[in-house]
Amino acid sequence: MIMNNQTVISQFLLLGLPIPPEHQHLFYALFLAMYLTTVLGNLIIIILILLDSHLHTPMYFFLGNLSFSDLCFSSVTMPKLLQSMQHQDSSIPYAGCLTQMYFLIVFAAMESFLLVVMAYDRYVAICFPLHYTTIMSPKLCMCLMGLCWVLTMLYSMLHTLLLARLSFCENSVIPQFFCDISALLKLACSDIHINELMIFIIGGLVTVLPFLLIVVSYVQIVCSILNVSSTRVLHKVFSTCGSHLSVVSLFYGTIIGLYIFPSANNSTVKETAMAKMYTVVTPMLNPFIYSLRNRDIKEALIRVFCKKKISL
């Protein structure tokens, strides 16, 4: 059914990654290994936090939620990519594409909100250590997490509903390995002015505002530790904050480069590589960043394994 160069789209074609056919099997094995590493790494963090009572603190409560978000974030795109590479089928139904986009936005926004909540947690712990347990009460932690979930779902629902009202042209090829909102808008034949306005205003707030709040938190932390002379205290501050800053740099670096300040000469290959970085590489690296630089996680891992051996 075609009217005025518009058509009722039943499916989209994901262009995927520009991989030569002779290298498909090699890259399939690589991406499968990356995905399994992501799942295993984040599951270990979640299980450790659940099992070890020493990790039942606000900091690790938020870290557990970040690991869950990373696990889901990667699972939204990777299974479809692997299935496409294995069966040479790059099609995705219209409803499936919108669903994938919805959950992709949910977990991308959740990552952004969790990183700012974790920065606030570190700010309170370092700048107000005597009042930390009072301020970061279990009730506040649950409220912050509840607020994060509500805001991310509403934000994603807004973009999904605005996109669902659009008509699409006959060209249904998405130059990405997932249903990216910016790529979908380029295929639309309808007026996308409202969509672009919402991405600019609300999307900017969801991305830029948390980033600025994280920067402000760390400026306050730096000002606070400048007066500290104890080497032991400084080492503990850098070990806990260093992991968080590494994750912040990985996540926001690619997001800002791809969506907020995209280069005019960005090629499709470059954009795909950057998208791969924040949807696959960052969720895979996060558990290693937190476990390798965090003594509490290492000690919890030893305690849990020792308990297992004793029980056996």
Side-chain angles (χ1 to χ4, degrees):
M1 177 182 166
I2 300 174
M3 295 175 64
N4 300 326
N5 204 32
Q6 296 179 9
T7 183
V8 176
I9 294 288
S10 62
Q11 65 178 19
F12 292 98
L13 295 176
L14 299 171
L15 199 58
L17 300 169
I19 300 169
E22 62 271 19
H23 296 149
Q24 282 282 341
H25 294 297
L26 176 65
F27 277 90
Y28 176 81
L30 174 65
F31 293 143
L32 179 61
M34 289 173 70
Y35 179 57
L36 292 176
T37 303
T38 303
V39 172
L40 185 62
N42 284 292
L43 273 178
I44 288 172
I45 296 285
I46 294 167
I47 291 167
L48 282 178
I49 292 169
L50 288 173
L51 293 181
D52 195 284
S53 59
H54 295 84
L55 301 182
H56 293 173
T57 63
M59 174 183 170
Y60 293 106
F61 171 70
F62 296 129
L63 176 57
N65 280 277
L66 180 67
S67 291
F68 175 73
S69 179
D70 282 336
L71 178 60
C72 296
F73 191 30
S74 185
S75 297
V76 170
T77 57
M78 283 301 287
K80 175 58 186 172
L81 173 63
L82 292 168
Q83 183 255 331
S84 298
M85 291 179 73
Q86 187 177 29
H87 299 290
Q88 302 298 310
D89 179 18
S90 60
S91 64
I92 183 170
Y94 174 81
C97 191
L98 289 190
T99 303
Q100 187 188 61
M101 189 197 77
Y102 171 81
F103 284 109
L104 195 68
I105 295 172
V106 164
F107 293 113
M110 177 60 73
E111 183 111 357
S112 183
F113 288 147
L114 277 171
L115 289 174
V116 76
V117 168
M118 292 172 78
Y120 174 70
D121 173 71
R122 292 300 82 209
Y123 161 72
V124 174
I126 294 163
C127 298
F128 305 99
L130 299 177
H131 303 285
Y132 177 71
T133 52
T134 307
I135 297 171
M136 299 303 294
S137 63
K139 184 179 179 181
L140 178 65
C141 293
M142 292 301 293
C143 286
L144 287 172
M145 276 312 306
L147 183 63
C148 286
W149 279 109
V150 170
L151 289 176
T152 54
M153 287 190 283
L154 288 175
Y155 170 65
S156 185
M157 184 59 71
L158 171 68
H159 284 303
T160 307
L161 291 176
L162 285 174
L163 192 79
R165 71 184 179 84
L166 301 178
S167 299
F168 291 91
C169 301
E170 291 183 59
N171 178 22
S172 61
V173 178
I174 299 172
Q176 272 289 8
F177 61 93
F178 61 91
C179 291
D180 181 45
I181 186 170
S182 58
L184 284 166
L185 289 177
K186 290 175 184 175
L187 300 179
C189 292
S190 312
D191 181 19
I192 60 171
H193 177 70
I194 295 174
N195 300 72
E196 290 178 330
L197 192 64
M198 289 299 102
I199 289 173
F200 180 75
I201 297 172
I202 303 178
L205 286 173
V206 167
T207 308
V208 177
L209 186 59
F211 180 71
L212 292 177
L213 289 172
I214 291 169
V215 171
V216 170
S217 296
Y218 275 101
V219 168
Q220 294 292 325
I221 289 170
V222 170
C223 291
S224 178
I225 64 172
L226 285 176
N227 301 319
V228 176
S229 56
S230 171
T231 309
R232 181 174 162 275
V233 173
L234 286 172
H235 177 73
K236 188 171 182 180
V237 168
F238 283 117
S239 67
T240 55
C241 294
S243 302
H244 183 254
L245 277 173
S246 301
V247 173
V248 168
S249 303
L250 270 173
F251 181 73
Y252 282 105
T254 49
I255 289 286
I256 290 170
L258 190 59
Y259 295 109
I260 309 300
F261 300 113
S263 172
N265 59 357
N266 267 8
S267 64
T268 302
V269 175
K270 186 178 176 181
E271 287 182 354
T272 304
M274 291 176 74
K276 192 78 179 170
M277 176 65 75
Y278 86 88
T279 57
V280 179
V281 178
T282 302
M284 182 187 70
L285 291 180
N286 284 357
F288 293 99
I289 291 169
Y290 278 105
S291 60
L292 292 175
R293 301 187 59 152
N294 193 308
R295 193 174 66 182
D296 292 340
I297 293 289
K298 292 176 186 176
E299 290 175 352
L301 192 60
I302 293 167
R303 282 193 297 269
V304 169
F305 272 104
C306 285
K307 281 182 183 178
K308 278 278 185 186
K309 284 182 180 179
I310 291 168
S311 63
L312 290 171

